Amino acid sequence: MSTETTTPGVPGSPVPSKGLRAGILDLGDSVMLGLASTAPVYSLAATLGLIVAVNGNYTPLILLLGFIPVLFIAYAFRELNSAMPDCGTTFIWARRTFGPWAGWLGGWGVALAGIVVLANLAQVAGQYVWLLVGDGSLADNSLLVTATGVLFIALMTLVNYRGIRLGEHVQRVLTYVQYISLGIFVLALVFRIAGGAPEGQAFDIEWFNPVGAFADPGAVVHGALLALFIYWGWDTCLAVNEETENPTKTPGRGAVISAFLLVAIYVSVALLVMLYATVGTEGIGLGNAENQDDVFVAMKDVVLGPWGWLIVVAVLASVLSSTQTTILPTARGTLSMGVHGALPARFGQVHPRNQTPGFSTTVMGVAAIAYYVAMSILSENLLSDSISSISLFIAFYYALTGYACFWFFRGTLRQSARNLWFRGILPLLGALMLTAAFFISAVQMWDPAYGDTEIFGVGGAFVSGVLLLALGVVLAVVCRFAPATRGYFVSKQPALR
């Protein structure tokens, strides 16, 4: 039976059911998915050293500053979802607000970020599995790592294909493994710090002093852009809105709650690691260039001794859980695009028994595998640089969502102070910040010294990022004239009230 969802008193129209399994997830599930999608343990392990290299002891403040635009956009997601709880999220919201082209490109931004980051997650998963075997030297075998990464993408694609409940069970197990292992690591840090870490450093409130941090504005911007990436992923809560209890409210609450939990986890763990390891450039110091790729692995044996493998397991579980939850929003985004005619109708098909976007899920998994294998064959350095360009895709579709929220609700902003702030001011500020982040990132990536590759005198990260975004424009033009999808671009939407 078809059901429709709408919210009284806001501009919008009913959202028809697509055949997904409605009401299967509660608020706890929603928050868990938001936390898992960001891969918090891996994100912190891989990014903390990079932020420290730029900002030193001001790293905790940078983590807070990077959270501000993310929080503002979380409110935009929440408010738009209250009016249109469609699993297409940015795609459908931008379409209803700015028209079919903006919607199509917004959907492309979501899919693109997911496909590219899946390649990164597959690479890390492949490496960490073999770090647990023998002396860990097998992690240097690129063919073995790539094959393992492909296997993991295929496995998580199958889990998502088989059903949202199976995916939730797998996610719960991976989340428990991830946080129990991280908890043991954190407790070990606390005991060692309390016992007087011989080479540690004392806490200083100056670490949160914005005046001191902004003595080098360029470093603050660079660090905040790095921090932006580690918060990305909580919007998975909204992509499964049609499968969540009370879809107009619960997913938005889950997104905001998970965002606040993330900042608490990141800042508290970063502080403990800094107190124990310091920001120095020697040994396990976070400023040591040899540790920047993964500060936790560098510390594991010192902190946990023979139990050091636990932190490797934590990072692996973090990566695997993020792999599964990254496929969720990309598949549901293209499902919505298929339902609304922006992609061929087959993308809009839901598996009758599994009640999942079967075709879209399969396509996303195959696309991620193809991209990962192609980049691995061409150049692992190019793969690394293409992953760096993810910040462009995130900033693009997050900013588009913020602008859509402000404009969509413009007629309701004077109704209350709440509407003014949460539907107007905060989403617009978040969108402006992320627009600035987009262009600042692009300028930084233009420098050939930014990453590991150089193409025609320009940084490989910039070239790959721009080419992938431009591919979306090309595909949109193709869909505009293709018989199966041109109706999406020419049909009129209901007028906004």
Side-chain angles (χ1 to χ4, degrees):
M1 174 190 266
S2 178
T3 59
E4 293 185 342
T5 306
T6 188
T7 301
V10 297
S13 63
V15 177
S17 171
K18 299 178 182 62
L20 297 169
R21 192 175 179 184
I24 193 67
L25 304 174
D26 59 20
L27 179 61
D29 297 327
S30 186
V31 172
M32 181 187 65
L33 288 173
L35 291 175
S37 296
T38 59
V41 178
Y42 166 66
S43 295
L44 199 56
T47 310
L48 186 58
L50 298 174
I51 299 176
V52 166
V54 178
N55 299 100
N57 281 324
Y58 292 111
T59 292
L61 174 63
I62 299 302
L63 292 173
L64 290 173
L65 291 177
F67 174 66
I68 292 173
V70 171
L71 176 62
F72 292 173
I73 296 302
Y75 287 129
F77 270 81
R78 184 186 69 180
E79 296 302 314
L80 285 166
N81 182 75
S82 70
M84 294 175 288
D86 190 294
C87 65
T89 62
T90 299
F91 155 70
I92 196 65
W93 301 334
R95 181 208 186 193
R96 287 293 316 282
T97 307
F98 300 126
W101 289 93
W104 207 101
L105 293 175
W108 172 250
V110 175
L112 187 59
I115 290 170
V116 175
V117 83
L118 279 170
N120 176 40
L121 295 171
Q123 179 81 354
V124 175
Q127 291 173 338
Y128 272 73
V129 163
W130 297 109
L131 278 175
L132 293 170
V133 178
D135 62 359
S137 60
L138 289 174
D140 296 324
N141 186 320
S142 59
L143 181 60
L144 186 61
V145 166
T146 301
T148 306
V150 167
L151 179 62
F152 279 130
I153 294 178
L155 178 62
M156 292 306 171
T157 299
L158 178 61
V159 168
N160 285 321
Y161 181 89
R162 291 296 301 274
I164 187 70
R165 178 52 73 192
L166 173 62
E168 188 270 335
H169 288 328
V170 171
Q171 195 56 239
R172 194 173 294 277
V173 171
L174 291 172
T175 299
Y176 288 158
V177 171
Q178 177 180 178
Y179 282 100
I180 290 174
S181 300
L182 179 63
I184 293 172
F185 179 70
V186 167
L187 282 175
L189 279 175
V190 170
F191 283 126
R192 288 184 179 276
I193 292 169
E199 297 180 1
Q201 60 181 341
F203 173 79
D204 191 339
I205 194 64
E206 172 64 21
W207 298 351
F208 293 91
N209 179 12
V211 175
F214 275 93
D216 186 351
V220 172
V221 171
H222 189 181
L225 290 173
L226 289 169
L228 173 64
F229 171 73
I230 69 175
Y231 289 111
W232 172 61
W234 49 263
D235 46 308
T236 294
C237 301
L238 286 304
V240 293
N241 47 18
E242 297 184 47
E243 297 151 279
T244 306
E245 296 175 354
N246 196 353
T248 60
K249 293 183 179 180
T250 300
R253 291 172 179 168
V256 173
I257 292 171
S258 61
F260 275 109
L261 288 175
L262 281 171
V263 73
I265 292 169
Y266 287 148
V267 174
S268 58
V269 173
L271 280 172
L272 287 172
V273 172
M274 286 172 59
L275 290 173
Y276 182 76
T278 80
V279 297
T281 57
E282 302 294 331
I284 63 171
L286 302 180
N288 188 337
E290 295 182 359
N291 301 339
Q292 286 179 6
D293 288 341
D294 193 328
V295 295
F296 288 170
V297 166
M299 297 173 61
K300 65 182 179 66
D301 294 330
V302 178
V303 176
L304 294 173
W307 294 90
W309 56 270
L310 275 174
I311 201 63
V312 178
V313 170
V315 175
L316 178 59
S318 179
V319 169
L320 290 178
S321 66
S322 185
T323 300
Q324 188 217 328
T325 51
T326 297
I327 296 170
L328 281 174
T330 53
R332 279 150 182 77
T334 51
L335 167 72
S336 182
M337 293 177 77
V339 168
H340 292 282
L343 288 175
R346 194 172 182 188
F347 281 90
Q349 294 177 354
V350 171
H351 193 284
R353 184 179 70 254
N354 298 334
Q355 292 182 280
T356 60
F359 181 75
S360 285
T361 299
T362 302
V363 169
M364 288 303 104
V366 171
I369 289 173
Y371 182 81
Y372 174 43
V373 172
M375 288 294 101
S376 298
I377 292 173
L378 288 173
S379 168
E380 288 194 7
N381 288 336
L382 186 58
L383 171 64
S384 175
D385 279 352
S386 71
I387 291 166
S388 298
S389 66
I390 291 175
S391 61
L392 296 178
F393 315 145
I394 299 170
F396 169 71
Y397 85 83
Y398 272 10
L400 181 60
T401 305
Y403 289 127
C405 182
F406 173 80
W407 195 248
F408 185 80
F409 289 111
R410 66 192 184 280
T412 71
L413 299 184
R414 296 183 181 181
Q415 292 179 358
S416 66
R418 179 198 178 282
N419 284 0
L420 178 63
W421 281 99
F422 291 107
R423 293 179 174 178
I425 294 175
L426 297 183
L428 180 59
L429 285 176
L432 291 171
M433 291 177 186
L434 289 166
T435 300
F438 179 92
F439 287 106
I440 292 171
S441 290
V443 169
Q444 291 178 345
M445 291 176 187
W446 179 274
D447 186 348
Y450 178 87
D452 299 319
T453 57
E454 177 181 339
I455 302 174
F456 301 121
V458 179
F462 178 88
V463 174
S464 59
V466 170
L467 284 178
L468 288 172
L469 284 172
L471 177 60
V473 177
V474 174
L475 292 176
V477 171
V478 171
C479 289
R480 167 61 180 82
F481 294 100
T485 52
R486 63 186 175 194
Y488 161 81
F489 289 90
V490 301
S491 62
K492 294 184 178 179
Q493 289 295 296
L496 299 181
R497 297 190 297 272

